[in-house]
Amino acid sequence: MSTLSLNIVTPNGSVYDRDDVELAVMQTTAGEIGVMFGHIPTVAALKTGYVKVNFDGGSEFIAVSEGFVEIRQHKLSIIVQTAEAAKDIDVDRAQTAKTKAEEHLNSEQNSGDLHRAERALERANNRLYVATLK
Ligand code: ATP
């Protein structure tokens, strides 16, 4: 079976790289897509969610926040603000971030930046969910 290479890049640099990907599933703003070798080249916006990577002998979930994917016939480039493999997610930290974002959203004197708190809550909920995926 022909495989794909997958690179996930954040502002901190490359955080994930492998060249034996059989199938990668991710959530674009237009819905979930699965990408295999030979996919039609395209670019899509990604929502905060996960990338499921299937390779010979296993699979892995990676939590990602908003960004883009560029699909080429044998290469997948994912450019996102943050990415963490499920096994590397610090659940206590995500829980703290969730509580903080909820407090901010529920506060009567919040400073007005609700959109930012909503996105922080979305990231925290996503990390808590992806940490449960195997
Ligand atoms: P926090 O308030 O805990 O920093 P956040 O959502 O504001 O949460 P981000 O700005 O999305 O954090 O991420 C900053 C950096 O910390 C990124 O490199 C990201 O991968 C990492 N990171 C954030 N939360 C976690 C977590 N729960 N587990 C592992 N890495 C995390």
Side-chain angles (χ1 to χ4, degrees), residues 4 20 23-24 26 34 46 56-57 60 65 68-70 89 93-94 101 105 107 112-113 122-123 125:
L4 277 168
D20 60 349
L23 171 68
M26 66 209 76
L46 292 179
D56 188 18
E60 184 166 29
S65 54
F68 293 92
V69 58
E70 182 192 23
I89 293 173
R93 176 174 169 178
L105 288 169
S107 157
D113 200 351
E122 199 181 3
R123 288 194 302 278
N125 279 330

Side-chain angles (χ1 to χ4, degrees), residues 48-120:
T48 293
Y50 62 79
V51 181
K52 183 181 184 194
V53 185
N54 280 52
F55 42 85
D56 188 18
S59 65
E60 184 166 29
F61 287 88
I62 300 139
V64 294
S65 54
E66 294 161 348
F68 293 92
V69 58
E70 182 192 23
I71 301 167
R72 284 188 268 160
Q73 197 174 39
H74 49 79
K75 188 171 164 56
L76 202 52
S77 304
I78 291 177
I79 303 120
V80 283
Q81 281 300 319
T82 63
E84 308 90 36
K87 62 178 167 35
D88 297 329
I89 293 173
D90 180 338
V91 171
D92 289 344
R93 176 174 169 178
Q95 190 58 57
T96 301
K98 177 182 166 88
T99 304
K100 199 173 127 196
E102 283 173 342
E103 280 171 4
H104 193 83
L105 288 169
N106 293 332
S107 157
E108 283 176 18
Q109 318 117 306
N110 68 56
S111 53
D113 200 351
L114 290 180
H115 185 58
R116 193 168 158 184
E118 280 163 2
R119 287 171 66 205

Side-chain angles (χ1 to χ4, degrees), residues 12 17 27 34 51 91:
N12 292 329
D17 202 5
Q27 293 89 47
V51 181
V91 171

